[in-house]
C-alpha cells in the first residue's frame, strides 16, 4: 500500500462522513490537467470521464484504458477506472486502480476519497 501523506486521514474522514452512495455522484469523474502529459492521453481520459459521468461504463473503460496506453502514469485515468469498477460493484478492481493512481500521485484527493469509499463499502475499519 502507498505511504499515506499527511492529508490522507482527512480525505478518508470526509469519505466516511459523506458516505458517498456512489463516488461518481458526489465527486464526479476526474478531469485531466495537461502538465507533462500527452495531449492524446488527456483527450482520451477526458472522453472517458465524460462517458463515466453519463453512465456509459463500457465506453468509459475503453477510453480510459486507451489513455493509459499513451500515458500509463496518468493518475486521473486510474482514478476514473476505479470509479468504473466501483460502479460495477468490483471493489477489488476499484481498490487496485485507486492504489495505482496513488502510486503515481500520492496527493490525489479524489483517489484517497474514493479509496475510503471502497474500504467503507467493504466494511474495513478506516479510522
Amino acid at each position: 500500500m502507498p505511504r499515506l501523506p499527511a492529508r490522507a486521514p482527512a480525505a478518508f474522514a470526509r469519505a466516511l462522513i459523506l458516505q458517498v452512495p456512489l463516488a461518481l455522484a458526489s465527486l464526479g469523474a476526474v478531469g485531466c490537467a495537461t502538465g507533462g502529459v500527452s495531449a492524446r492521453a488527456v483527450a482520451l481520459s477526458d472522453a472517458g470521464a465524460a462517458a463515466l459521468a453519463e453512465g456509459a461504463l463500457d465506453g468509459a473503460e475503453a477510453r480510459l484504458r486507451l489513455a493509459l496506453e499513451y500515458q500509463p502514469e496518468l493518475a486521473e485515468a486510474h482514478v476514473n477506472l476505479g470509479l468504473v469498477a466501483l460502479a460495477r460493484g468490483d471493489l477489488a478492481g476499484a481498490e487496485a486502480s485507486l492504489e495505482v493512481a496513488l502510486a503515481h500521485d500520492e496527493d490525489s484527493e479524489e483517489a484517497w476519497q474514493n479509496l475510503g469509499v471502497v474500504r467503507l463499502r467493504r466494511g474495513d475499519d478506516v479510522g
Side-chain angles (χ1 to χ4, degrees), residues 24-106:
L24 297 173
S26 68
L27 298 175
V30 180
C32 294
T34 58
V37 178
S38 115
R40 183 70 176 144
V42 170
L44 286 163
S45 185
D46 286 346
L52 177 60
E54 293 173 3
L57 301 180
D58 291 339
E61 181 178 12
R63 288 170 181 88
L64 293 165
R65 290 198 184 282
L66 187 54
L68 290 170
E69 287 183 26
Y70 284 95
Q71 192 81 34
E73 66 276 3
L74 187 60
E76 294 89 350
H78 288 289
V79 170
N80 286 329
L81 275 176
L83 293 176
V84 168
L86 187 60
R88 290 179 171 154
D90 177 9
L91 298 180
E95 181 176 40
S97 290
L98 294 166
E99 287 182 349
V100 171
L102 288 167
H104 294 297
D105 178 6
E106 69 179 23

